Structures are given as structure tokens and as C-alpha cells.
């Protein structure tokens, strides 16, 4: 085992609106039966990283429940394992994580007890496949101090100022790194995946703490870009960050494309998730399905087009659902129309309701009606 993994999943995100009020972004449901963090944990497992720490903080109940067993990602071993690390009070500290670097500092004991020479640090809010073994080999080959996974974003609809923007020289060494600039100088973005030697990471994190610095990107990557050898590793496959409502909606809609589904769920290596013991979806007479994903435990009586239904969704008679994402355990009453919407989990939509988002703008539906007295 060459590396230990750290997943940063503790940050809050007000760009997700109502969706992030109940759960961490890393716990957001994706592609019908998965959570966002499943993708990075599967990458770790497929890359033979057997010891992984997930740093949680904000709205972590749902995420902690999802991570209650390590067996789903094959971390249940005598050596290694899945560790969920939350802020805790000590004689030295009684505060929440103040930033990404501070969250690692508060868990330095975890790194001190590891024996792996390298650390792979990732964020938990991205959907992608990556072989971290190849990233690690590249890091060793370049004799780098830090390696950052990057990608050229050619999609004009992407809002580049959401990301860290990097500029690399001819030898792929990063010569400039700007975190979320107002105007992007290049279209090469940081994917939030870093490789660094464990002892160097501990040294930099300790120094940042002594200087009152708390952010990994600003206070380590940007600050040391001219001092340390920081290289970029180009990732060519699919990658999406779900940090905004529009990005979350579009990422889910991407899974309605056959090539995206095949890439994640048919091509090796696999993506793993916690499995619930649910019956298969049931389509009653009169239901109509067009280009949609329907998960286990669903019962459909109406029309569903270009949409994703997560687990345990009930669609009543004469309902029409188009271009929408229905999260887990939603009851939709008869004669309801839902279009261009994201319906929050455990909602109860009364019969004869109508929710339509404007073209190009997603509407978030939150309805907490009493389900069993309708």
C-alpha cells in the first residue's frame, strides 16, 4: 500500500439552496441509487488504497449514516479501514474545522499513525472515475512535492470561476494557481485531487497552523507554488462538480445518456454504494416511461419522461413528470404535473398539484404535507 486517502467532506455550501440544508453535498443522491461520495470512495478502493479517512462536519447525519459500514467499498479489512473523523473537543482545541487545512491539522494523529509514504487528498463533491495508482506513479516519476489533478474544461456553459484555475509550463509544472478568480486566464481547472508525501503534508499543515492559516488551497498550494515542485496531472475522462443547483441537476441528467451510464456502471472498474434491500420498481397498467432512470422501490402509475426517480418514489394516476429529479421517498398524488424541478426527499405532493420550473431554470420543490391523511 503506497498511499492513505483523505476525503474532505465537511464544508457547507449555500449555493445548493434547500438541497444542502438537510445534508452535506457529499451525501447528495446521484444517478438514482448512489451518493456523490460513492464515486471517490470507489476510486480509492479500485486504486488499492485500503485506509481512507472521511472528514465530515456540516450536516453530517445523512453522510454518517451512509458510511456506517465500510464493507460496501471493500474497506472492511484487518489492515486499513474507513474512518469517519468529526471535530471534537480537546484541551488544545474546542472549535469546528476552520478550513480544509485546519481539518487535516485537527486529525494529524491519524496521519502520524499511518505508515504509508503518500497521501491522496480528494473532495467529496465530484462525480468522476480516476485511477489514483496512475496519478501516484506520475507524482513519483516527476519527483514532485505535490501533484494536482487537472482537466481542460471546453464546455462553454461551465462557470469557470467556481474552480481553482491553473496554468502549467511545458514540463507540466504549475506556474500559476488562482482560486476561484473573477476572470479565468485559462480553461484548465483543478479537480480537487492532490498527492503529497505524508511527512511533507504533516510539516506544511503544522506550519500553516502555527501561522494561523486554515485553507489548503490558498495557504499551501498557492502560497508554495514557487517554492515547492507542484505538477499538474491531466485527467481526460468525465468529471463534474455538483456544487450548485444547476450543476447537480445537469450531472444527474447526464446519466440519461447511454455513454455516461456505460462509462460508470458497465466499464471496469465499478462504482460501489450502500445497498438497500428494496423490491424492484413496479410499473402499473397505464404508466408510460421515456428515457428515464427509475430506482428500486418505486411504484409508477403515470407518465415519466427524461427524469430520474430515486428510491421509494410513488407516482400517482394521471401524473406527468418531465425533465425532473425526484429524490428518495417522495409521494406524488394523482393528477400532478412536475416539470423542470428537483423534488426534495420525503416530500408529499398533494393530488392535483402543478410545479413547473422556467425553461433553463430549475425549481426546487419542498412540500412536507401529511402523507397518510390525504
Amino acid at each position: 500500500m503506497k498511499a492513505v486517502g483523505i476525503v474532505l467532506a465537511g464544508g457547507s455550501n449555500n449555493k445548493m439552496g434547500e438541497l444542502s440544508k438537510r445534508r452535506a453535498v457529499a451525501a447528495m443522491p446521484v444517478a438514482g441509487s448512489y451518493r456523490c461520495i460513492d464515486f471517490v470512495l470507489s476510486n480509492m478502493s479500485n486504486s488499492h488504497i485500503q485506509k481512507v479517512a472521511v472528514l465530515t462536519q456540516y450536516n453530517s447525519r445523512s453522510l454518517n449514516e451512509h458510511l456506517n459500514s465500510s464493507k460496501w467499498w471493500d474497506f472492511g479489512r484487518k489492515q486499513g479501514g474507513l474512518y469517519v473523523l468529526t471535530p471534537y473537543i480537546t484541551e488544545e482545541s474546542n472549535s469546528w474545522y476552520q478550513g480544509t487545512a485546519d481539518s487535516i491539522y485537527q486529525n494529524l494523529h491519524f496521519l502520524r499513525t499511518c505508515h504509508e509514504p503518500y497521501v491522496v487528498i480528494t473532495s467529496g463533491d465530484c462525480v468522476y472515475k480516476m485511477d489514483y495508482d496512475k496519478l501516484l506513479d506520475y507524482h513519483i516519476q516527476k519527483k514532485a512535492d505535490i501533484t494536482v489533478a487537472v482537466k481542460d474544461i471546453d464546455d462553454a456553459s461551465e462557470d469557470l470561476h467556481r474552480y481553482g484555475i491553473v496554468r502549467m509550463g511545458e514540463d507540466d509544472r504549475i506556474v500559476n494557481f488562482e482560486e476561484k478568480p473573477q476572470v479565468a486566464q485559462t480553461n484548465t481547472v483543478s479537480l480537487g485531487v492532490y498527492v503529497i508525501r505524508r511527512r511533507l503534508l504533516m510539516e506544511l499543515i503544522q506550519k500553516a497552523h502555527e501561522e494561523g492559516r486554515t485553507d489548503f488551497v490558498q495557504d499551501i498550494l498557492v502560497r508554495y507554488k514557487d517554492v515547492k515542485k507542484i505538477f499538474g496531472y491531466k485527467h481526460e475522462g468525465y468529471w463534474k462538480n455538483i456544487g450548485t443547483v444547476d450543476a447537480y441537476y445537469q450531472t444527474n441528467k447526464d446519466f440519461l445518456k447511454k455513454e455516461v451510464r456505460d462509462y460508470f456502471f458497465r466499464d471496469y472498474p465499478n462504482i460501489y454504494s450502500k445497498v438497500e434491500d428494496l423490491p424492484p420498481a413496479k410499473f402499473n397498467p397505464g404508466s408510460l416511461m421515456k428515457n428515464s432512470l427509475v430506482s428500486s422501490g418505486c411504484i409508477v402509475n403515470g407518465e415519466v419522461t427524461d427524469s430520474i426517480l430515486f428510491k421509494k418514489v410513488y407516482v400517482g394516476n394521471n401524473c406527468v413528470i418531465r425533465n425532473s429529479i425526484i429524490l428518495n421517498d417522495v409521494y406524488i398524488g394523482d393528477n400532478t404535473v412536475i416539470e423542470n424541478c428537483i423534488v426534495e426527499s420525503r416530500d408529499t405532493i398533494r393530488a392535483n398539484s402543478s410545479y413547473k420550473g422556467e425553461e433553463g431554470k430549475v425549481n426546487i420543490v419542498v412540500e412536507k404535507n401529511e402523507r397518510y391523511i390525504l
Side-chain angles (χ1 to χ4, degrees), residues 28-292:
M28 287 298 300
V30 175
S33 301
Y34 298 82
R35 303 289 188 105
C36 188
I37 198 169
D38 290 334
F39 294 86
V40 64
L41 291 180
S42 298
N43 290 337
M44 294 280 187
S45 179
N46 294 328
S47 303
H48 311 103
I49 297 174
Q50 298 177 359
K51 181 183 287 187
V52 177
V54 181
L55 277 51
T56 71
Q57 173 170 272
Y58 177 79
N59 262 354
S60 61
R61 180 193 59 80
S62 178
L63 183 57
N64 291 343
E65 287 179 359
H66 186 66
L67 301 176
N68 66 357
S69 174
S70 61
K71 67 179 181 180
W72 307 113
W73 304 274
D74 198 27
F75 293 129
R77 300 173 174 274
K78 289 183 179 180
Q79 295 183 353
L82 181 65
Y83 300 80
V84 179
L85 305 179
T86 60
Y88 54 90
I89 295 175
T90 67
E91 291 184 357
E92 298 178 356
S93 172
N94 61 355
S95 65
W96 295 97
Y97 297 152
Q98 302 301 306
T100 47
D102 183 63
S103 67
I104 297 174
Y105 172 79
Q106 291 196 34
N107 294 285
L108 272 183
H109 175 73
F110 171 78
L111 290 176
R112 292 192 185 104
T113 57
C114 294
H115 58 77
E116 292 83 356
Y118 296 97
V119 182
V120 177
I121 303 173
T122 70
S123 61
D125 59 354
C126 299
V127 174
Y128 64 104
K129 270 185 179 181
M130 184 182 294
D131 186 346
Y132 297 144
D133 276 338
K134 293 181 180 178
L135 173 61
L136 190 55
D137 290 342
Y138 176 88
H139 175 83
I140 295 171
Q141 173 198 337
K142 288 288 189 179
K143 299 181 179 179
D145 293 315
I146 305 173
T147 299
V148 182
V150 301
K151 181 177 177 61
D152 293 335
I153 302 294
D154 298 320
D155 188 352
S157 65
E158 281 284 359
D159 192 359
L160 291 181
H161 80 263
R162 292 172 48 213
Y163 308 116
I165 304 297
V166 305
R167 183 161 56 86
M168 300 189 297
E170 293 182 359
D171 60 349
D172 291 334
R173 181 167 178 173
I174 293 177
V175 296
N176 193 31
F177 195 123
E178 294 181 281
E179 177 68 354
K180 300 176 182 177
Q182 291 296 320
V183 179
Q185 301 299 322
T186 71
N187 67 335
T188 304
V189 304
S190 165
L191 306 189
V193 181
Y194 318 106
V195 174
I196 182 172
R197 185 172 283 276
R198 180 173 59 90
R199 292 188 179 278
L200 175 60
L201 175 63
M202 293 167 59
E203 175 189 324
L204 295 177
I205 291 293
Q206 181 69 45
K207 187 173 182 181
H209 173 74
E210 292 171 356
E211 296 174 349
R213 303 178 185 275
T214 59
D215 186 72
F216 185 82
V217 173
Q218 289 286 6
D219 299 326
I220 292 180
L221 293 182
V222 176
R223 182 174 170 79
Y224 288 97
K225 71 178 187 299
D226 297 323
V227 179
K228 301 294 184 182
K229 291 182 289 184
I230 303 179
F231 285 83
Y233 171 83
K234 284 282 184 75
H235 175 65
E236 302 297 340
Y238 182 98
W239 178 88
K240 285 292 180 69
N241 178 287
I242 65 165
T244 67
V245 172
D246 289 339
Y248 174 71
Y249 176 81
Q250 190 55 55
T251 300
N252 274 285
K253 290 296 292 289
D254 283 348
F255 282 88
L256 297 180
K257 303 172 184 175
K258 183 179 184 301
E259 62 271 19
V260 175
R261 291 197 306 274
D262 288 348
Y263 174 71
F264 280 103
F265 305 136
R266 291 186 181 274
D267 297 347
Y268 182 84
N270 298 321
I271 301 297
Y272 314 105
S273 183
K274 181 180 179 180
V275 178
E276 293 186 49
D277 188 14
L278 294 172
K282 180 182 180 183
F283 305 96
N284 286 328
S287 62
L288 178 63
M289 305 298 301
K290 296 179 182 178
N291 189 37
S292 297

